Structure formats: C-alpha cells, structure tokens
Amino acid sequence: ALYHLSLSLSRTIPERDLGKAVELCRAAVEGAPSEIRYWHLLALLLCKQGEWKQAKGVVDAAIEIASDVETRAQADDLLSNGVASRDFASSKSEASPPTYSQSEESSLGPSSKKVVSAAELLRPMPDHPPPSQRELFEHIFQLRMTQIVITELTEGADSVEACWLEVFEWYSQRRD
C-alpha cells in the first residue's frame, strides 16, 4: 500500500489543473461531509500539491468523521435487521450490556398498518446508494493506511508505530 501510494504521488499529472481539482474536492467534502472517499481524495490531492501538513489534518479529521459514520451505519444495520436501537454512545464495557428498544415497523413492510405520505414517497433518490458495511470498512481502511503514509512522510518512520497499533486494533475489532 505504501509503495502504490508513493508511486501514485510521484507521477506527473499532464495538462490537469491540480488547484481546481482541490477546489472541487473541497466543495464535494462540504456538500457531503460524511462521504469518506471525498475526504480521502482531498488528502491525496493535497499531498500531490506538497501540502503535507494540510493533508495530515484532512486525514485526521476524516478518521474522526469515519468513526461517526461507522457508528451510524452499525445502528442503521441493526434497525434494518429488526433490532431497534442500540446505545452505541455508551462504552463497550462488559459490565453494562447494550440496551435494545422495540423497533417501529417499517412503513412499507408487509405487516405495516400506517400509510406513508406522498411527499415522503416522492423524495429524490440520492446520486449513489450509501456504501455497504464492507465498502465502508474498505474506505476507512484505505484512509487509515493513507494516514500512516502521510504521518511517516511528515514525522518520520519512528512516529508511525502507534498508528500501526491503532490500525491493527481497529481491524481486529471489525474482522469478519
């Protein structure tokens, strides 16, 4: 991963306006702040411009946002599987088990007894579907690997030991 990232950063971009690409990518991040891929692309573009500290700041912010996105996706997954809401805000200690509450039936489910308003049914569809759990995992993993590369390039090889441990811990908690 480190080799491929450094190889892609060293290639020249013929006849392309990198400044305009950064500007458009910033607009994409502002328009969809929970889209991890946009943050990742912005960090890579900043690296290409040589703005290493800015890129590191973007990646660090994206990691925090990814954590929130991942938590919401897990909650949504539980809701869609018939388990209502789980208290993800509480700590994951063994002493306090997660709490579950009764879920509402889907408004369009076979046993539904309520009618959804026409305005709700006619809402516009998003440009692209939200990522699956697997896709979200891959996006965040790629982002974390980029964080390690940028940290190593800006702060030296000795500074990434803690990052690697964090990535290994994160990965081990989510493996299938």
Side-chain angles (χ1 to χ4, degrees), residues 19-96:
K20 183 69 172 175
V22 170
E23 178 185 327
L24 292 172
C25 197
R26 284 184 197 275
V29 166
E30 290 173 9
S34 63
E35 182 59 63
I36 304 305
R37 294 175 299 167
Y38 298 167
W39 287 91
H40 191 196
L41 179 59
L42 179 58
L44 293 175
L45 290 170
L46 289 169
C47 285
K48 186 67 178 172
Q49 282 187 321
E51 300 291 340
W52 298 100
K53 295 213 185 276
Q54 281 185 6
K56 183 167 178 2
V58 167
V59 168
D60 292 343
I63 295 290
E64 288 183 34
I65 290 169
S67 165
D68 295 340
V69 168
E70 192 175 33
T71 301
R72 279 195 313 271
Q74 289 170 345
D76 291 346
D77 191 42
L78 285 173
L79 284 170
S80 68
N81 288 331
V83 178
S85 64
R86 180 174 175 178
D87 185 12
F88 285 103
S90 66
S91 65
K92 293 184 175 183
S93 82
E94 296 297 322
S96 60

Side-chain angles (χ1 to χ4, degrees), residues 70 92 137 141 144 164-176:
E70 192 175 33
K92 293 184 175 183
F137 171 83
F141 185 67
R144 287 181 171 272
W164 278 113
L165 293 174
E166 197 176 299
V167 169
F168 289 144
E169 180 183 354
W170 176 85
Y171 183 87
S172 69
Q173 291 172 352
R174 286 152 185 85
R175 68 176 180 208
D176 294 333

Side-chain angles (χ1 to χ4, degrees), residues 78-149:
L78 285 173
L79 284 170
S80 68
N81 288 331
V83 178
S85 64
R86 180 174 175 178
D87 185 12
F88 285 103
S90 66
S91 65
K92 293 184 175 183
S93 82
E94 296 297 322
S96 60
T99 57
Y100 296 91
S101 64
Q102 199 63 284
S103 69
E104 287 187 25
E105 294 179 24
S106 167
S107 1
L108 298 175
S111 62
S112 175
K113 294 183 174 103
K114 78 177 188 180
V115 177
V116 179
S117 71
E120 189 175 331
L121 286 174
L122 296 175
R123 286 185 296 173
M125 294 295 291
D127 290 339
H128 52 80
S132 68
Q133 284 287 353
R134 184 69 188 165
E135 291 169 333
L136 184 59
F137 171 83
E138 290 173 4
H139 298 161
I140 296 171
F141 185 67
Q142 291 170 356
L143 184 66
R144 287 181 171 272
M145 296 305 293
T146 300
Q147 181 186 36
I148 289 173
V149 171

